[in-house]
Short mmCIF file of all heavy atoms in Angstrom, two decimals:
data_model
loop_
_atom_site.label_atom_id
_atom_site.label_comp_id
_atom_site.label_asym_id
_atom_site.label_seq_id
_atom_site.Cartn_x
_atom_site.Cartn_y
_atom_site.Cartn_z
N GLY A 8 7.62 18.72 8.57
CA GLY A 8 8.42 19.92 8.39
C GLY A 8 7.64 21.20 8.37
O GLY A 8 8.29 22.29 8.31
N SER A 11 5.26 27.31 11.78
CA SER A 11 4.99 28.75 11.72
C SER A 11 6.30 29.50 11.64
O SER A 11 7.19 29.29 12.50
CB SER A 11 4.17 29.22 12.95
OG SER A 11 2.90 28.58 12.98
N TRP A 36 4.48 18.73 -5.14
CA TRP A 36 3.92 19.43 -3.96
C TRP A 36 2.76 20.31 -4.42
O TRP A 36 2.93 21.04 -5.39
CB TRP A 36 4.97 20.28 -3.30
CG TRP A 36 6.02 19.51 -2.56
CD1 TRP A 36 7.32 19.15 -3.02
CD2 TRP A 36 5.93 18.96 -1.24
NE1 TRP A 36 7.93 18.44 -2.10
CE2 TRP A 36 7.12 18.29 -0.99
CE3 TRP A 36 4.93 18.96 -0.28
CZ2 TRP A 36 7.37 17.64 0.27
CZ3 TRP A 36 5.18 18.32 0.93
CH2 TRP A 36 6.39 17.69 1.17
N VAL A 48 2.39 23.47 -6.76
CA VAL A 48 3.50 24.31 -6.39
C VAL A 48 4.79 23.95 -7.18
O VAL A 48 5.42 24.81 -7.78
CB VAL A 48 3.81 24.23 -4.90
CG1 VAL A 48 5.04 25.00 -4.53
CG2 VAL A 48 2.61 24.66 -4.08
N SER A 62 4.69 31.83 -8.84
CA SER A 62 4.77 32.56 -7.60
C SER A 62 5.91 32.07 -6.66
O SER A 62 6.25 32.78 -5.72
CB SER A 62 3.46 32.52 -6.88
OG SER A 62 3.11 31.23 -6.53
N LYS A 64 8.90 30.54 -8.00
CA LYS A 64 10.15 30.48 -8.73
C LYS A 64 11.24 31.29 -8.08
O LYS A 64 11.01 32.42 -7.71
CB LYS A 64 9.97 30.82 -10.19
CG LYS A 64 9.25 29.85 -11.04
CD LYS A 64 9.12 30.32 -12.50
CE LYS A 64 8.39 29.31 -13.34
NZ LYS A 64 8.17 29.78 -14.71
N GLY A 65 12.41 30.71 -7.91
CA GLY A 65 13.54 31.42 -7.30
C GLY A 65 13.51 31.39 -5.76
O GLY A 65 14.45 31.76 -5.14
N ASN A 76 14.01 7.38 -0.37
CA ASN A 76 12.56 7.29 -0.66
C ASN A 76 11.81 8.49 -0.14
O ASN A 76 10.71 8.41 0.39
CB ASN A 76 11.92 6.00 -0.07
CG ASN A 76 11.09 5.28 -1.13
OD1 ASN A 76 11.37 5.34 -2.34
ND2 ASN A 76 10.11 4.55 -0.64
N LEU A 78 10.86 12.85 -0.75
CA LEU A 78 10.71 14.04 -1.54
C LEU A 78 10.86 15.24 -0.61
O LEU A 78 10.42 15.19 0.53
CB LEU A 78 9.32 14.09 -2.20
CG LEU A 78 8.99 15.30 -3.01
CD1 LEU A 78 9.77 15.31 -4.36
CD2 LEU A 78 7.49 15.36 -3.28
N LEU A 85 9.93 33.08 2.57
CA LEU A 85 8.49 32.88 2.68
C LEU A 85 7.73 34.20 2.92
O LEU A 85 8.27 35.10 3.56
CB LEU A 85 8.18 31.86 3.76
CG LEU A 85 8.55 30.40 3.42
CD1 LEU A 85 8.67 29.57 4.70
CD2 LEU A 85 7.48 29.82 2.52
N GLU A 88 1.48 34.99 1.77
CA GLU A 88 0.69 34.38 0.70
C GLU A 88 1.05 32.88 0.54
O GLU A 88 0.35 32.16 -0.17
CB GLU A 88 0.92 35.08 -0.63
CG GLU A 88 0.28 36.47 -0.71
CD GLU A 88 0.95 37.50 0.17
OE1 GLU A 88 2.21 37.43 0.25
OE2 GLU A 88 0.26 38.33 0.79
N TYR A 114 -1.80 9.38 -5.72
CA TYR A 114 -1.46 9.15 -4.31
C TYR A 114 -1.15 10.47 -3.62
O TYR A 114 -0.43 11.31 -4.18
CB TYR A 114 -0.24 8.22 -4.21
CG TYR A 114 -0.47 6.89 -4.91
CD1 TYR A 114 0.07 6.64 -6.14
CD2 TYR A 114 -1.28 5.92 -4.30
CE1 TYR A 114 -0.12 5.42 -6.75
CE2 TYR A 114 -1.50 4.69 -4.95
CZ TYR A 114 -0.91 4.46 -6.13
OH TYR A 114 -1.14 3.26 -6.79
N GLN A 117 -1.29 13.38 3.81
CA GLN A 117 -2.34 13.96 4.58
C GLN A 117 -2.20 15.48 4.74
O GLN A 117 -3.14 16.16 5.18
CB GLN A 117 -2.39 13.32 6.03
CG GLN A 117 -1.37 13.92 7.03
CD GLN A 117 0.07 13.55 6.70
OE1 GLN A 117 0.34 12.68 5.87
NE2 GLN A 117 1.00 14.24 7.33
N VAL A 121 1.63 25.09 6.84
CA VAL A 121 2.65 26.09 6.80
C VAL A 121 1.98 27.47 7.03
O VAL A 121 1.08 27.82 6.30
CB VAL A 121 3.40 26.13 5.44
CG1 VAL A 121 4.37 27.31 5.38
CG2 VAL A 121 4.22 24.83 5.32
N THR A 122 2.42 28.20 8.03
CA THR A 122 1.87 29.46 8.37
C THR A 122 2.97 30.53 8.39
O THR A 122 3.95 30.35 9.10
CB THR A 122 1.15 29.44 9.73
OG1 THR A 122 0.13 28.44 9.69
CG2 THR A 122 0.50 30.81 10.06
#
Side-chain angles (χ1 to χ4, degrees):
S11 297
W36 289 97
V48 175
S62 63
K64 285 180 181 177
N76 229 28
L78 177 73
L85 286 160
E88 290 70 37
Y114 303 102
Q117 82 290 346
V121 171
T122 303

